[in-house]
Amino acid sequence: MNNKAFFTFLMLGFSFFLYAQEFSAPDYDLIKKNIENKKSEYYYPSLLKKLKENDTVFTVEQYRHLYYGYTFQKKYNPLHISKNEDLIREYYKKEKSDTKEYPKIIKTFREVLAEDPLNIRAMNFLAYIYNLNGEESMAAKVSANFQGIFGAIMSSGDGLKCETGFHVIAVSDEYVILNIFEMQGSSQSFDKKCDYITFEADKYKVPGMYFDVSVMQEKK
């Protein structure tokens, strides 16, 4: 059950330049104001409740508020390590699991998302296991929300320079994006605002990808 297998499951058809012409960095001050307004469609407890109930009726802006608004929640910790970390790492590494394990895997990843609801890698993997277990409706719902959050990240930049880097709230999200694009970095650097992942020379159309991690630095 390697990374390529479950990321390929999504078959998103995203192009690296899909959002290159239309993107905007998150306005964290505005997002904070909106998610604290009980009369707003972006009121955070309502958005999070919908996500946990696997409701897929979100707009692009609601997904942006859901993802970036999480940084203002008490539970947000960019260095969070799940209590099930060792177990989920084993599941990620496995090429294949026994079908009898699927209910246990689903339970484990539901627990992971209960403690870290914006963990998009866990979300994507859970959708994949639901699909393997024949729970197509649940797979579709979880996958739809993963795609919505992924789209929110893509709408934050183009990744071509630090000033327009993709804004992420967890380092692991950088690797989710690389896996979706089937790209592999050869080295990584950090300039106090952006992570820059360099690719092997001439392997892809771009030499590397920038991720704006400034919000993580502020919350550490």
Side-chain angles (χ1 to χ4, degrees):
M1 229 176 281
N2 57 31
N3 284 348
K4 187 174 180 180
F6 73 85
F7 280 111
T8 301
F9 160 70
L10 290 165
M11 294 182 289
L12 296 175
F14 281 114
S15 164
F16 181 70
F17 296 102
L18 183 60
Y19 292 89
Q21 295 181 349
E22 292 186 29
F23 60 83
S24 60
D27 183 336
Y28 286 100
D29 289 336
L30 180 59
I31 288 173
K32 185 175 187 296
K33 179 181 178 181
N34 288 341
I35 64 174
E36 292 176 350
N37 181 357
K38 293 183 179 181
K39 296 182 180 180
S40 170
E41 65 176 300
Y42 306 120
Y43 183 52
Y44 206 81
S46 297
L47 291 179
L48 192 58
K49 182 173 183 290
K50 286 174 64 176
L51 179 69
K52 290 183 175 181
E53 292 176 350
N54 296 304
D55 190 334
T56 59
V57 186
F58 287 89
T59 65
V60 173
E61 277 303 315
Q62 285 176 327
Y63 275 122
R64 281 172 62 96
H65 279 72
L66 179 65
Y67 182 70
Y68 296 111
Y70 191 57
T71 62
F72 297 106
Q73 307 309 302
K74 290 182 179 180
K75 290 184 66 175
Y76 173 65
N77 177 1
L79 302 177
H80 174 78
I81 296 177
S82 171
K83 62 183 181 181
N84 292 307
E85 190 67 23
D86 291 340
L87 185 57
I88 64 177
R89 283 182 182 276
E90 287 302 314
Y91 288 140
Y92 286 147
K93 290 177 183 178
K94 283 187 177 182
E95 289 293 326
K96 188 177 181 180
S97 291
D98 191 302
T99 56
K100 293 180 181 179
E101 286 190 274
Y102 292 160
K104 180 181 178 182
I105 297 173
I106 289 171
K107 180 177 181 294
T108 298
F109 278 83
R110 284 173 63 91
E111 290 175 357
V112 170
L113 290 171
E115 62 181 86
D116 187 11
L118 273 296
N119 184 328
I120 59 174
R121 188 182 189 195
M123 192 181 298
N124 184 30
F125 193 78
L126 178 59
Y128 176 64
I129 298 299
Y130 270 134
N131 184 67
L132 291 181
N133 200 41
E135 298 180 65
E136 296 179 4
S137 177
M138 288 300 297
K141 289 178 181 180
V142 177
S143 181
N145 280 326
F146 169 87
Q147 292 182 44
I149 295 169
F150 186 86
I153 298 172
M154 292 294 97
S155 74
S156 71
D158 60 10
L160 299 179
K161 53 186 178 181
C162 184
E163 293 75 13
T164 59
F166 295 121
H167 287 249
V168 294
I169 67 172
V171 172
S172 60
D173 295 349
E174 298 176 15
Y175 296 96
V176 171
I177 292 170
L178 291 179
N179 273 283
I180 289 294
F181 292 130
E182 296 187 344
M183 290 175 158
Q184 186 172 4
S186 59
S187 63
Q188 183 172 352
S189 59
F190 173 61
D191 67 358
K192 296 184 180 180
K193 179 182 180 182
C194 291
D195 280 339
Y196 180 60
I197 298 180
T198 307
F199 303 135
E200 185 179 325
D202 301 320
K203 187 172 184 179
Y204 309 113
K205 291 182 180 180
V206 292
M209 191 179 292
Y210 287 90
F211 297 92
D212 188 315
V213 294
S214 53
V215 71
M216 287 192 281
Q217 301 308 308
E218 295 172 4
K219 301 292 182 176
K220 283 183 179 179

